[in-house]
Amino acid sequence: MTQDAKRTARQGSPRPAARSLLGVFRHRVRGRVLALLCAMYFITYLDRVNISTAAPYIKADLGLNDTQLGLALSAFSIPYAFFQVFGGVLSDRFGPRRVLAVVGALWAIATVCTGFSVGLVTLFAARLGLGFGEGASFPTATNAMATWLPSDRRAFGQGITHASSRIGNAIAPIAVAGLIALYDWRLAFYVFGAISLLWTLAWALMYRNRPADHPKITAAELEELSTEQRAATRPRLPWRALLRRILPVTFVDFCYGWMLWVYLTWIPSFFQDSYGLNLGSFALFSTLVLVAGVLGDMVGGLVSDALLRRTGSLRIARRSVLVIGLLGSFAFIIPTLIVHQLLLTTICLAVAFFLLELTNPVLWTIPMDIAPSHAGTAGGLMNTGYGIAGILSPILFGLLVDLTGDWVASFALSAVLLLIGGLAALRIDPTKRITASVS
């Protein structure tokens, strides 16, 4: 047995009876928990990316230039970035049930308020509120998954939930375009805010922080979880050890997040400006690109877990997907810098997004590998990189477009960061697990 395999065994692998993919979730409460989390990821991404499709109309209605629009797009990520760790700590202390109920209500209200914006200041404030609301959501969801999912299905859990978020990405342009055509851009924010409130109510009613506390849990399902997952208390968090192990992942997440924010905020405007497409056309092409991310998240999670079961090596299972995904995405962004052809550009952007999203479930799984008892805090620390990228990427991308008059420099900078991130991923070691005895 390899050293990685021994470490995996010590972490508490699921019992053989629950090894099949469907067997892990069928007729089990964890399947319902995962479905609720999938719905949350879908809705949060509807709420955070709907502004990108509405952006040309918001820009015209509120009289903004590209730099001002980029500032408004970045507003979400200012509190989002800095609430990651704090939100993770809150989820570790108070549990996902209470934390997601509170922040879910907050992001729902902020989404509705976006529709009432009358200028840059009110738009910026509404997006700040959305960032506060959603900042704790993914670290808290990671906490829930670390508690409810067997160790060798965690990447799958991250993959399917993030695939749900990318479905939100893909549906948002079409849904927002339809609502704009039906009334105006404001209607999209009212509708999506109401959907968020409904999810928040369902979560508060159905979720429990400890599997043993759920009224429908069975003894068989509890037996499929490790002793650590069933524990009533958590060990003290060793901050120094956590920072040392997670910060390399945070940096790679920054590089990944920079490019993801380009897709989330600027792709519709890119298609409209570069190819002169109307609302229906640029929404359609944006959706075609973003659908590739759904497949990327699903494949990335499945491949990483399959590699872990086959090799017993966390290094191989996590690192290989990160490196291939980031460097492959870099390779397919390059043609968009030199070719101005709508179909080819769309294909390259879609393949690059697929490869980029291979890495997403792995980035979120590594905090659970390293600190399973403190997955909320570890996930929040990791995702701070994505949040910081969200502050810088939209506004600097827009600024470069304004300064140069085209999109080449902005995409070139993003490609370079993908290359750096792919190389930096070689230094990530998910086997350095934090235990209660670490100080």
Side-chain angles (χ1 to χ4, degrees), residues 232-295:
T233 59
R234 297 176 185 271
R236 181 180 60 84
L237 174 61
W239 277 100
R240 182 178 300 178
L242 181 65
L243 289 170
R244 189 165 58 247
R245 288 159 171 77
I246 293 292
L247 285 179
V249 192
T250 304
F251 177 75
V252 174
D253 189 55
F254 170 83
C255 297
Y256 155 83
W258 182 286
M259 192 70 229
L260 177 60
W261 278 108
V262 172
Y263 280 97
L264 299 185
T265 55
W266 284 108
I267 289 299
S269 296
F270 166 72
F271 278 123
Q272 183 197 46
D273 184 66
S274 295
Y275 297 99
L277 303 180
N278 59 27
L279 171 63
S281 296
F282 78 68
L284 176 61
F285 277 95
S286 299
T287 295
L288 292 174
V289 169
L290 295 174
V291 162
V294 178
L295 298 176

Side-chain angles (χ1 to χ4, degrees), residues 112-191:
V112 173
C113 288
T114 304
F116 289 107
S117 299
V118 295
L120 176 60
V121 173
T122 50
L123 179 63
F124 188 87
R127 296 295 289 180
L128 279 178
L130 184 67
F132 273 114
E134 292 196 5
S137 60
F138 285 14
T140 304
T142 296
N143 186 342
M145 280 186 262
T147 301
W148 279 88
L149 302 188
S151 60
D152 70 341
R153 300 299 181 183
R154 288 171 177 169
F156 169 78
Q158 292 288 0
I160 194 171
T161 50
H162 282 91
S164 300
S165 74
R166 299 308 176 255
I167 293 173
N169 286 349
I171 288 177
I174 298 297
V176 173
L179 291 169
I180 290 173
L182 181 65
Y183 186 67
D184 68 6
W185 65 268
R186 299 177 189 273
L187 180 61
F189 297 94
Y190 304 150
V191 171

